[in-house]
Amino acid sequence: MLSGIDAKDATKVTVYLDGLDEVSDDKRREHIVALAKQSVERNSGIKVVVTSRTYVQGQWLRWLPRMSLSGFTRAQIEKLICEWFGGKEEEISRFKTQLTATPTLGDLMRVPLIATLVILVFRQTHRLPESRSRVYEVFIDLMCEGWNLAKGLLRVSRYGVRVKRAVLGQLAISAHRKKSRRFEEHDIEDAIKRSVAKSVCNNVTELVEELIHDGLISRSGQFCEFAHLSFQEFLAAKELLGEPTHSLLRRALREYLRGDDWWLEALRFYIGLSASPRETYSWIMTQADKVSSFEGDMLDEELAQERAEALAQSVREHFPEAPVEIWPI
């Protein structure tokens, strides 16, 4: 991977390995990091920067100094708001008033991506969504309608939101089941054929191009991917919500309880989209109690219980208005 770098030219080379967590196979992750380590050991002029979500851990990473990005400070949030609204005091005041009245969004503003989405949605709709899940829902719908939220421009869109959401949902759940962020254009075409009638879309190529033009999907060489993994996770959660048998939902939770965090954010989105906090909370904790009965599974009951309690905390976070009495089972 780094063998093509000549030693004498490596004095100013920094190699960025972005998104290690998006490599779904643990052994492949370790192999990639081992190759990077070998290159650094062969030539001290090479620097390697690896980015990943925090759940990726292992002895094989200990040679790398580890740093965590903190969220925005209050001052940085203020600056972001001011910059996006161009210093217009009336709009800034209106935004802050609604933000204060929507406490569930307060902590989310510390996350750069979500803070930006919240501001863009407000600029378009003049009101704030009430939760993280709702932020993504409104943002994706607006993008599917053809809005360029940063510029406030509406592009003509031939296909409606329902059609695009159906395709994007199929694409997201298919990719997530494979534990992959990447897919190819033929995968988009397959998602269209599975979710849209020919009478609605008789030109698959045209719809593929419009989906990419909307900005939720981006091309990278022969591959495509969602503009941000969180869009895939949110759309996968929407599919889990509408799954009639709930078999994939149970499998996703089981994998999480076993220690695999690939489905964690999708499960958090699922919680935010659910209609009943009590039932959702009860279901999570009940599944943790049943770990020993999962056919063919060797699950650590203590680990499963600990992870279930951490996920159940998301129910409390998404439904702060729910009475305290509902949480004990």
Side-chain angles (χ1 to χ4, degrees):
M1 185 169 66
L2 306 179
S3 58
I5 300 174
D6 192 281
K8 65 183 179 182
D9 297 326
T11 54
K12 296 182 180 180
V13 171
T14 301
V15 179
Y16 293 91
L17 303 177
D18 186 31
L20 184 66
D21 56 297
E22 292 164 18
V23 179
S24 58
D25 184 77
D26 290 339
K27 291 189 180 298
R28 184 155 180 78
R29 283 183 197 154
E30 189 171 348
H31 180 62
I32 290 170
V33 173
L35 289 175
K37 184 179 181 183
Q38 290 170 16
S39 298
V40 170
E41 289 173 344
R42 282 199 302 264
N43 192 304
S44 60
I46 297 176
K47 296 180 180 179
V48 174
V49 178
V50 182
T51 68
S52 172
R53 290 189 180 183
T54 55
Y55 69 80
V56 176
Q57 303 279 348
Q59 295 279 350
W60 42 277
L61 281 170
R62 292 201 170 179
W63 65 278
L64 284 166
R66 190 158 189 149
M67 295 181 290
S68 297
L69 293 177
S70 61
F72 277 152
T73 63
R74 184 177 296 276
Q76 289 169 328
I77 294 173
E78 292 281 343
K79 183 176 181 181
L80 183 73
I81 293 170
C82 185
E83 292 289 339
W84 268 111
F85 288 104
K88 297 177 181 177
E89 292 299 332
E90 186 176 342
E91 288 189 49
I92 292 173
S93 176
R94 192 181 305 122
F95 176 82
K96 288 182 177 179
T97 298
Q98 290 198 32
L99 187 62
T100 302
T102 316
T104 54
L105 291 181
D107 287 341
L108 295 180
M109 287 295 291
R110 298 184 67 247
V111 182
L113 171 68
I114 300 179
T116 303
L117 294 186
V118 169
I119 292 170
L120 289 175
V121 168
F122 179 84
R123 276 161 45 106
Q124 188 59 46
T125 64
H126 305 293
R127 60 188 179 86
L128 285 181
E130 65 276 8
S131 67
R132 176 174 177 247
S133 296
R134 185 62 182 152
V135 168
Y136 277 80
E137 192 157 33
V138 175
F139 183 84
I140 287 173
D141 282 357
L142 289 171
M143 294 286 281
C144 286
E145 288 174 0
W147 282 101
N148 181 322
L149 296 184
K151 296 180 180 178
L153 300 176
L154 178 63
R155 177 176 50 79
V156 175
S157 176
R158 178 173 177 181
Y159 299 96
V161 173
R162 287 182 63 182
V163 169
K164 292 179 182 177
R165 270 199 319 228
V167 175
L168 292 170
Q170 282 286 318
L171 194 57
I173 197 67
S174 177
H176 224 65
R177 289 180 73 165
K178 297 173 185 175
K179 294 190 174 181
S180 174
R181 179 172 179 175
R182 285 182 163 187
F183 43 86
E184 298 184 49
E185 285 198 27
H186 71 79
D187 295 311
I188 307 177
E189 294 170 0
D190 289 344
I192 292 171
K193 292 172 184 176
R194 288 197 305 271
S195 55
V196 183
K198 287 184 179 180
S199 59
V200 176
C201 174
N202 58 12
N203 189 331
V204 172
T205 303
E206 184 179 61
L207 179 49
V208 170
E209 288 303 316
E210 188 163 314
L211 285 166
I212 292 173
H213 203 170
D214 285 341
L216 290 169
I217 296 174
S218 60
R219 280 193 183 104
S220 179
Q222 71 180 86
F223 295 103
C224 298
E225 59 186 33
F226 283 93
H228 194 275
L229 182 58
S230 60
F231 297 141
Q232 177 175 309
E233 291 165 329
F234 171 79
L235 289 162
K238 292 275 285 184
E239 294 299 302
L240 290 177
L241 198 67
E243 186 197 14
T245 65
H246 300 296
S247 58
L248 180 56
L249 175 61
R250 288 194 299 271
R251 194 182 319 149
L253 179 60
R254 190 182 313 163
E255 289 184 16
Y256 165 75
L257 294 175
R258 296 172 73 168
D260 185 347
D261 278 334
W262 173 254
W263 285 96
L264 174 58
E265 292 304 319
L267 288 170
R268 284 176 172 164
F269 276 124
Y270 173 86
I271 288 168
L273 291 165
S274 63
S276 173
R278 183 185 185 91
E279 289 183 10
T280 304
Y281 181 91
S282 177
W283 173 70
I284 293 170
M285 302 309 296
T286 300
Q287 289 298 302
D289 290 337
K290 291 180 178 179
V291 292
S292 58
S293 65
F294 291 149
E295 186 178 350
D297 276 348
M298 295 294 291
L299 298 184
D300 182 325
E301 293 186 29
E302 187 175 339
L303 173 65
Q305 192 69 31
E306 180 182 312
R307 290 174 69 80
E309 289 172 0
L311 186 61
Q313 182 62 34
S314 293
V315 186
R316 298 185 180 94
E317 292 168 358
H318 279 94
F319 300 95
E321 73 285 354
V324 175
E325 301 81 53
I326 78 166
W327 303 125
I329 298 175

